[in-house]
């Protein structure tokens, strides 16, 4: 049990060995400091990757096409595979039970968009109502494209916040007209996107309007679907993987593409990629923990060594205590208290220093794959527990040896 006299005794013991104590404490503090910084940056990596995935739906399956690279069934390589409205309708109907959102799109890069005297080049995208959820876009004014717009090929547009800022200069764009290559459209909505300005530089129009206005016929550029999520993440990944393979096989059969031609029809799913990335993050965390624990162990060894020296220097005192009736457990408790005190004091210093540095520097770190490194409360508690355990381990062997000392031998010690 700690009391004032016991605190004074511990301080006096450590004062006599102040150089060794300082070096040992520095080793423990640096170990905890390194561990905290590493865990903070692993958290930053997780935040960054999560932010990147949040730009679009994390359970998305996307389909796009290019030219064939292999001949197949008498057809030469080099054919461009053109997706049609029919492809989208067939895929949507075939896998309807497993799909949540779906959209086909027809994009035009570098569309010149004007409003009065302002103009700029933006990506024009013919899309369907579910595109809003697939793109993870949030409406800040007005509405997104609806089914009525699609059915009637309405000349309406939904613009990104960047487009609104550039062309309308703070003016409310809802109900105002814009023109794309001479085609007049009424703005019905403004959206924002987690991807920032790049994703907010789009102008969405009803798919049918774009197809009619730009001679697209029934052609589409790509398709996107989201998979219904299961309670189990692994089950959702497996479902997404199976759907990806099934959709790819269906399209290859319809468009007569060689099964091993990986370029002509590309079907990707973000859920499987997310699992790979999060598995990598878990590995990085494990490596950081391993490195951090390694540095702590080096400090703990130092604490163990200094406690052995302290026990040797106090052999006669321990003998006197035992001669006066001190129980072995009280001797062990005495040494353990000193070991835990050195470890806790040094470790908490390193912990506080590491947390303070992350608090100061963390908000300034905002790269694409590292965002706001920090250590949460639960991790800090685990670190404190490690400190207590490390201190107990460091002091146990010296304490056990001290408890085994026979009083008569201890009193003879010079």
């Amino acid at each position: 049990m700690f009391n004032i006299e016991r605190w004074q005794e511990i301080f006096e013991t450590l004062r006599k060995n102040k150089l060794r104590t300082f070096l040992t404490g520095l080793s423990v503090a640096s170990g905890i400091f390194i561990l905290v910084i590493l865990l903070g940056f692993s958290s930053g990596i997780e935040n960054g990757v999560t932010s990147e995935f949040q730009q679009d739906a994390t359970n998305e399956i996307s389909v796009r096409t290019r030219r064939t690279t292999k001949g197949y069934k008498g057809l030469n390589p080099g054919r461009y595979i053109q997706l049609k409205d029919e492809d989208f309708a067939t895929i949507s109907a075939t896998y309807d039970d497993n799909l949540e959102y779906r959209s086909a799109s027809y994009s035009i890069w570098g569309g010149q968009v004007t409003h009065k005297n302002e103009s700029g080049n933006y990506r024009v995208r013919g899309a369907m109502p579910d595109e809003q959820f697939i793109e993870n876009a949030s409406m800040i004014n007005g509405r997104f494209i609806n089914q009525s717009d699609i059915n009637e090929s309405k000349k309406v547009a939904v613009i990104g916040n960047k487009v609104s800022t550039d062309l309308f200069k703070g003016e409310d764009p809802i109900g105002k007209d814009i023109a794309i290559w001479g085609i007049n459209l009424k703005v019905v909505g403004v959206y924002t996107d987690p991807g920032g300005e790049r994703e907010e530089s789009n102008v969405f129009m009803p798919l049918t309007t774009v197809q009619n206005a730009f001679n697209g016929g029934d052609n589409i550029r790509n398709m996107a679907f989201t998979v219904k999520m299961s309670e189990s993440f692994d089950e959702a990944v497996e479902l997404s993987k199976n759907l990806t393979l099934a959709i790819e096989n269906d399209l290859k059969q319809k468009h007569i593409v060689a099964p091993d031609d990986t370029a002509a029809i590309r079907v990707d799913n973000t859920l499987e990629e997310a699992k790979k990335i999060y598995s990598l993050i878990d590995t990085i965390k494990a490596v950081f923990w391993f490195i951090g624990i390694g540095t702590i162990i080096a400090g703990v060894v130092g604490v163990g060594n200094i406690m052995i020296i302290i026990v040797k220097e106090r052999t006669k005192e321990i003998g006197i205590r035992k001669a006066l009736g001190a129980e072995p457990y009280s001797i062990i408790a005495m040494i353990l208290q000193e070991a835990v005190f050195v470890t806790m004091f040094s470790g908490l210093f390193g912990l506080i220093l590491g947390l303070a540095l992350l608090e100061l520097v963390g908000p300034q770190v905002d790269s694409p794959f590292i965002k706001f490194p920090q250590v949460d409360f639960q991790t800090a508690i685990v670190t404190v527990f490690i400190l207590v355990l490390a201190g107990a381990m460091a002091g146990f062997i010296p304490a056990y040896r001290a408890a085994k000392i026979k009083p008569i031998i201890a009193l003879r010690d010079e």
Side-chain angles (χ1 to χ4, degrees):
M1 180 177 179
F2 272 107
N3 50 43
I4 297 299
E5 291 77 12
R6 184 68 188 122
W7 280 109
Q8 291 174 341
E9 185 180 338
I10 290 175
F11 277 116
E12 181 62 23
T13 301
L14 298 177
R15 186 188 65 79
K16 292 178 181 177
N17 298 272
K18 56 186 177 182
L19 179 59
R20 296 193 193 101
T21 303
F22 172 77
L23 293 176
T24 302
L26 184 63
S27 178
V28 174
S30 63
I32 291 295
F33 176 79
I34 291 171
L35 175 61
V36 169
I37 296 300
L38 289 175
L39 293 179
F41 272 87
S42 72
S43 172
I45 292 172
E46 184 174 4
N47 291 338
V49 172
T50 301
S51 175
E52 287 296 307
F53 273 108
Q54 284 177 345
Q55 293 181 13
D56 295 315
T58 56
N59 54 339
E60 179 183 353
I61 294 177
S62 60
V63 182
R64 62 186 187 278
T65 59
R66 293 192 179 94
R67 296 187 180 276
T68 58
T69 58
K70 299 183 179 183
Y72 186 61
K73 292 186 177 181
L75 298 174
N76 293 326
R79 291 180 298 120
Y80 180 75
I81 304 302
Q82 178 62 64
L83 294 173
K84 302 284 186 178
D85 288 337
E86 181 186 355
D87 294 318
F88 175 74
T90 301
I91 297 298
S92 296
T94 303
Y95 303 104
D96 181 65
D97 291 343
N98 296 314
L99 300 178
E100 183 180 19
Y101 299 116
R102 61 209 76 188
S103 178
S105 64
Y106 190 94
S107 302
I108 300 170
W109 290 94
Q112 188 176 49
V113 184
T114 61
H115 170 68
K116 295 182 180 178
N117 296 325
E118 303 294 337
S119 66
N121 290 326
Y122 305 98
R123 186 183 181 192
V124 178
R125 300 178 62 183
M128 305 180 80
D130 283 356
E131 190 78 19
Q132 176 187 352
F133 307 106
I134 295 173
E135 288 292 322
N136 204 15
S138 300
M139 302 307 300
I140 57 177
N141 201 358
R143 63 172 178 84
F144 200 72
I145 294 163
N146 59 35
Q147 193 58 45
S148 174
D149 299 330
I150 300 290
N151 295 340
E152 300 175 25
S153 300
K154 292 182 180 178
K155 291 183 178 181
V156 296
V158 177
I159 61 177
N161 194 44
K162 174 73 164 56
V163 181
S164 176
T165 302
D166 291 348
L167 299 184
F168 290 90
K169 308 298 183 184
E171 179 186 357
D172 184 3
I174 302 300
K176 305 283 193 315
D177 289 335
I178 59 174
I180 301 177
W181 286 334
I183 300 172
N184 292 320
L185 303 161
K186 188 177 296 294
V187 177
V188 295
V190 180
Y191 74 90
T192 184
D193 191 286
E197 288 191 356
R198 181 177 179 276
E199 297 296 328
E200 292 176 355
S201 297
N202 293 324
V203 175
F204 286 105
M205 296 168 55
L207 175 61
T208 51
T209 305
V210 172
Q211 290 172 326
N212 294 335
F214 299 105
N215 299 317
D218 63 346
N219 295 336
I220 56 177
R221 301 288 192 203
N222 50 55
M223 301 183 287
F225 309 92
T226 59
V227 181
K228 290 180 179 177
M229 293 297 290
S230 307
E231 291 185 5
S232 166
F233 182 72
D234 289 335
E235 287 181 8
V237 171
E238 189 64 25
L239 174 61
S240 182
K241 182 178 179 181
N242 291 337
L243 282 176
T244 299
L245 293 173
I247 292 171
E248 182 178 348
N249 289 335
D250 289 351
L251 291 173
K252 282 183 174 180
Q253 288 179 15
K254 180 177 179 182
H255 293 276
I256 316 177
V257 175
D260 57 345
D261 189 339
T262 57
I265 296 176
R266 292 292 304 273
V267 184
D268 300 306
N269 79 79
T270 56
L271 205 57
E272 191 172 6
E273 291 303 313
K275 183 179 181 181
K276 292 178 183 177
I277 293 297
Y278 288 130
S279 296
L280 177 61
I281 290 173
D282 289 340
T283 302
I284 292 173
K285 281 185 177 180
V287 171
F288 283 176
W289 271 105
F290 179 78
I291 295 172
I293 295 297
T295 58
I296 292 174
I297 289 174
V300 168
V301 170
V303 174
N305 289 336
I306 196 174
M307 296 314 300
I308 289 174
I309 294 171
I310 289 174
V311 167
K312 182 154 183 71
E313 291 177 348
R314 298 174 63 188
T315 300
K316 187 169 290 187
E317 175 196 338
I318 292 170
I320 293 172
R321 286 175 180 269
K322 295 194 72 174
L324 293 175
E327 296 292 335
Y329 77 86
S330 67
I331 302 297
I332 292 175
M334 177 182 70
I335 304 300
L336 284 181
Q337 285 173 358
E338 295 176 4
V340 170
F341 176 80
V342 173
T343 309
M344 282 290 294
F345 181 81
S346 305
L348 286 175
F349 177 77
L351 175 64
I352 293 170
L353 188 63
L355 291 174
L357 182 62
L358 287 176
E359 189 69 24
L360 180 66
V361 176
Q364 314 302 321
V365 180
D366 190 14
S367 68
F369 289 100
I370 302 180
K371 291 181 181 291
F372 317 123
Q374 58 186 352
V375 173
D376 57 29
F377 178 76
Q378 182 178 357
T379 303
I381 293 297
V382 170
T383 307
V384 172
F385 175 77
I386 290 174
L387 286 175
V388 175
L389 183 63
M393 290 174 61
F396 179 74
I397 293 178
Y400 183 76
R401 291 177 60 180
K404 288 291 186 180
I405 295 175
K406 294 182 179 180
I408 191 167
I409 296 175
L411 293 172
R412 279 193 206 144
D413 187 69
E414 296 295 334

